[in-house]
Amino acid sequence: PMAVIAIFAALVAQWFKSSTTAIVVCIAVYAALKVLPLFLPEAAVWSPFAYTDWHELWLQPSVPVLRLMNIFVFISAYSIIGYTAGLFRFTGKSL
């Protein structure tokens, strides 16, 4: 999940010329999306920020294999989408 967050931070950073502004926006977006499930619990299912505690699933007596596979596919999908969007933005910016 942290790789997905890093990919989306790189995507957000491409919209700004100043690195300071990009860092402040990334921190604000991270804080907002981390707090969002407290106010809207349904949003936690679709937010990769809600899966930053995925390692706790491995600490249970019985590891839920199907749930781990589901989370892995979900995180992989967000990685692919973020990488593709960042690459599209980067190539469009450099032309």
Side-chain angles (χ1 to χ4, degrees):
M2 298 312 284
V4 173
I5 293 170
I7 289 171
F8 278 101
L11 173 64
V12 169
Q14 290 183 20
W15 293 96
F16 300 102
K17 293 184 187 233
S18 169
S19 61
T20 306
T21 307
I23 290 173
V24 169
V25 169
C26 285
I27 291 172
V29 167
Y30 178 79
L33 291 176
K34 197 69 173 154
V35 172
L36 181 66
L38 295 175
F39 300 109
L40 192 61
E42 304 88 43
V45 176
W46 297 103
S47 174
F49 297 91
Y51 292 102
T52 54
D53 61 348
W54 64 273
H55 62 280
E56 292 179 4
L57 291 173
W58 293 96
L59 300 176
Q60 296 177 1
S62 63
V63 178
V65 177
L66 290 177
R67 181 162 163 85
L68 286 173
M69 293 290 290
N70 187 15
I71 291 172
F72 176 75
V73 170
F74 178 75
I75 296 296
S76 298
Y78 263 100
S79 297
I80 292 168
I81 291 169
Y83 181 79
T84 305
L87 186 63
F88 180 74
R89 173 72 178 144
F90 182 74
T91 56
K93 190 176 179 180
S94 63
L95 293 177

